[in-house]
Amino acid sequence: MWWQTGLLATGLFLAGAGTAAARTWEEELDGLVAARRDEEVRAIQEVLRIPSYNHGSPTTPAPGVVRVLDALLARAEGMGMRTRRHPEARYGIVEIGPEDAREMVMVLGHLDTVPEGNPALWTLAGPFEGKVVDGRIVGRGATDDKGPCVASLYAMKALQEAKLPLKRRIRLFLGTSEDGAGLDGLSWSCVAAYAELCRRGEEEWPTLGFSPDTGSFTVTYIEKTGVNVLGDLPLRSPASARLVALRGGSAPNAVSDLCTFALEATDEAGAEALLAALEAAAAGQPWQDAAKVRREGTTVRGEVIGVAAHSGQAWKGRSANVRTLFLLAQAAPGEDWGKAAAKLVELLGVDRADGEALGIRQGDPEKDDNVTVNLGLLELKVREGEPRLTFHVNIRYPGAGADLKVPTLRHFTGGQIREKVATAFRAAGFQVGEGKEIALTGGGEPYTVPWDSEIVVRLRKAYRDAAGEDREPEIVFGGTYASAWRNEPVDDRGTLFGYRMAAWGMEGGAGEHEPDESLTLEGLERGTRILARALAGLGGATD
């Protein structure tokens, strides 16, 4: 192989003590990554300073998301890479490698994020300051997924500068609608738009690829999927106290760190009684200091703090939404909204996320095969003059494929979980079904990639060669773009896209969907080096 014979093809030599010492291609890439470290950090800071979430954007990406896309495309073009932008900013493309190469390797990232949540809970730096604090870059999107997108760009730049003989093109896909599903109408419209162009022969499917969106260089073989419980409960006329405002959560796939509410009594005495009931309900709880209530005439207002986390790691968080429902249930157990709150608390549990009351508790967080339950969104809405209590519960599970990782347990299928959840809600007195109080969606089988597939084998090798250790494929708590085209036919014979894509990397990040989301500088540089080596292998430069 060419890199074992002195690297004459690339002319990469170092002179020392009168003797030519050849550098390996790995060392060459490492050095090129290190040389651009400061520039890479500044590039991440630039995009972190632009808020880029789509919530409230029902048809096209929000202006902030488009700004980030245009900024990275401009940077890539200035780095001498080929770029292209979808006319509606659904996605952007950055590409290197021989233009006439028939095959293409794709890195699928996204530039949209969840909102910042409660700004008061960001203690290291503001969510959009892009500051470097204690060796880490802090900001919403630092690790999910702006930071990894920029790292992938600079890994490609290292390949470009090293002039490695790529046999495939390397393409970075910059999506704009991954994290907004549930609060807007976009819902992965970027990968859907790309797929439609592929079907029309105006775009091309990648030969292999990965999504750098997991926080680990252990290759993902299962991406947990979900069952969603969508509640829309009509509230009858109150007897003595009216729920006039309620809002909690920023995304269905994030644990709520803030929920606010307002109650209206018929007189000040009634309001004082509500206030006392709320204070008494909070007083016996370990989180009593997280609940603040006050009276303003006949109105009682409340604010409840939780702990944010990704829905797939809901056990790490504490739901402000469920805590609020607990207080409302205690404050007015006779009111319609109080009764609904009590039922939901019974089914979900305060400061719990395991689904025990729903009959779906299973698995171990240490093995990543556990089921999680998260009441991500809670809101009082008024339609046609009628108040309605609405909510979104997101349930994540690994499916039967987890039996390979944890053979001592027969894991629930999506269908089993959906049926158990429906049964539990019916038993609690809710109407369940399409067009009723409780609607269920999801319940399919998670995206599962065989351990012996080419993409898994190659990514494991890239990490093993770089780190000197091997890791078994893992189960990841969320879904990524790797699963976007799982059912797409890619040739005239109807062959499915199948197992060409996997979720992978990068490490050094913390706080996805949480306050103080950040990426370490050490993890950034190491991760960019590993990404560059992986792309060299996938691109055929080391074959």
Side-chain angles (χ1 to χ4, degrees):
M1 294 184 181
W2 63 267
W3 69 88
Q4 294 174 330
T5 57
L7 297 175
L8 292 174
T10 58
L12 303 178
F13 285 86
L14 289 178
T19 303
R23 296 179 70 183
T24 67
W25 64 271
E26 295 98 335
E27 291 171 335
E28 178 70 10
L29 289 179
D30 290 353
L32 291 167
V33 167
R36 287 186 176 268
R37 169 179 160 161
D38 292 344
E39 178 186 330
E40 184 178 1
V41 170
R42 289 193 298 271
I44 294 176
Q45 290 177 303
E46 177 187 5
V47 295
L48 291 183
R49 288 169 181 151
I50 305 173
S52 58
Y53 48 84
N54 284 314
H55 298 60
S57 304
T59 56
T60 56
V65 183
V66 177
R67 282 181 59 199
V68 173
L69 175 63
D70 288 345
L72 272 189
L73 290 178
R75 179 175 289 273
E77 187 171 346
M79 296 163 77
M81 301 181 186
R82 302 186 294 273
T83 66
R84 190 169 71 253
R85 179 185 188 269
H86 185 274
E88 296 178 343
R90 301 292 180 182
Y91 62 83
I93 295 294
V94 178
E95 189 174 271
I96 63 170
E99 293 188 61
D100 60 351
R102 294 182 57 188
E103 295 185 337
M104 176 263 292
V105 172
M106 180 177 280
V107 182
L108 291 99
H110 66 92
L111 302 178
D112 64 311
T113 71
V114 298
E116 69 272 26
N118 184 359
L121 299 180
W122 288 74
T123 58
L124 294 178
F128 305 116
E129 292 183 85
K131 284 187 176 180
V132 175
V133 181
D134 296 332
R136 59 181 58 241
I137 311 170
V138 181
R140 176 60 81 223
T143 184
D144 183 18
D145 190 31
K146 293 179 181 179
C149 284
V150 173
S152 299
L153 179 67
Y154 277 82
M156 292 167 64
K157 183 60 180 175
L159 289 179
Q160 189 182 51
E161 292 182 318
K163 296 181 172 59
L164 296 185
L166 293 169
K167 297 181 180 66
R168 293 166 171 160
R169 286 167 288 119
I170 307 291
R171 178 176 289 188
L172 173 60
F173 177 97
L174 299 170
T176 57
S177 60
E178 199 264 6
D179 254 328
L183 290 184
D184 55 53
L186 294 170
S187 191
W188 285 33
S189 62
C190 49
V191 285
Y194 188 90
E196 178 58 29
L197 291 173
C198 285
R199 297 185 204 107
R200 286 158 41 184
E202 298 174 27
E203 279 288 8
E204 61 179 308
W205 297 114
T207 302
L208 292 170
F210 62 88
S211 182
D213 194 18
T214 66
S216 172
F217 276 118
T218 305
V219 185
T220 293
Y221 89 100
I222 291 179
E223 295 186 8
K224 287 183 179 179
T225 191
V227 166
N228 295 290
V229 183
L230 307 176
D232 189 355
L233 313 178
L235 299 179
R236 293 187 296 270
S237 299
S240 60
R242 187 163 57 100
L243 180 65
V244 295
L246 175 66
R247 186 177 181 85
S250 59
N253 58 351
V255 178
S256 169
D257 60 12
L258 176 65
C259 187
T260 60
F261 65 90
L263 306 173
E264 184 71 33
T266 55
D267 53 37
E268 291 194 3
E272 193 63 35
L274 281 174
L275 179 65
L278 290 166
E279 290 175 336
Q285 302 304 312
W287 44 270
Q288 59 182 348
D289 292 338
K292 307 296 183 184
V293 292
R294 66 185 187 280
R295 182 172 71 85
E296 299 173 356
T298 58
T299 302
V300 177
R301 301 187 184 278
E303 178 180 284
V304 180
I305 303 298
V307 179
H310 192 288
S311 184
Q313 293 183 311
W315 72 91
K316 293 184 176 181
R318 297 292 182 267
S319 174
N321 292 346
V322 181
R323 288 177 173 181
T324 298
L325 288 175
F326 174 82
L327 297 181
L328 295 179
Q330 300 298 311
E335 296 290 354
D336 210 30
W337 47 267
K339 293 176 183 178
K343 290 179 183 179
L344 291 173
V345 170
E346 184 68 24
L347 288 169
L348 302 175
V350 179
D351 287 356
R352 300 194 62 154
D354 56 12
E356 182 170 12
L358 296 172
I360 57 174
R361 181 180 180 182
Q362 190 176 62
D364 183 349
E366 295 296 321
K367 299 175 181 177
D368 298 314
D369 69 325
N370 59 314
V371 175
T372 59
V373 179
N374 171 48
L375 177 62
L377 299 173
L378 178 66
E379 187 174 2
L380 178 72
K381 295 184 178 180
V382 178
R383 288 199 297 273
E384 298 179 353
E386 181 183 48
R388 308 185 75 88
L389 182 64
T390 65
F391 58 87
H392 186 141
V393 177
N394 177 236
I395 300 168
R396 298 287 179 102
Y397 57 89
D403 293 359
L404 178 62
K405 193 81 171 177
V406 187
T408 57
L409 183 64
R410 291 185 62 83
H411 295 81
F412 295 136
T413 65
Q416 289 173 324
I417 288 179
R418 183 164 171 160
E419 184 55 39
K420 287 177 180 290
V421 170
T423 298
F425 272 85
R426 288 193 185 99
F430 291 107
Q431 299 176 27
V432 180
E434 186 176 352
K436 297 183 179 179
E437 293 178 334
I438 304 296
L440 299 180
T441 65
E445 290 309 299
Y447 181 59
T448 305
V449 186
W451 287 21
D452 60 355
S453 61
E454 182 180 359
I455 187 62
V456 169
V457 170
R458 282 185 175 270
L459 293 179
R460 286 182 73 177
K461 181 180 186 303
Y463 179 79
R464 183 171 62 248
D465 291 349
E469 63 169 337
D470 191 22
R471 295 180 180 177
E472 284 191 344
E474 69 177 350
I475 302 166
V476 74
F477 55 82
T480 77
Y481 277 160
S483 64
W485 304 315
R486 59 189 293 186
N487 296 319
E488 291 283 355
V490 295
D491 60 28
D492 294 338
R493 295 171 297 175
T495 303
L496 294 180
F497 196 87
Y499 311 115
R500 300 185 179 194
M501 311 297 295
W504 189 65
M506 44 182 264
E507 295 170 344
E512 298 94 334
H513 297 197
E514 302 175 22
D516 292 335
E517 182 178 351
S518 59
L519 178 64
T520 66
L521 298 180
E522 179 183 4
L524 173 63
E525 183 173 342
R526 178 175 183 267
T528 306
R529 292 200 311 265
I530 296 174
L531 287 169
R533 294 184 185 196
L535 290 174
L538 293 173
T542 62
D543 290 343

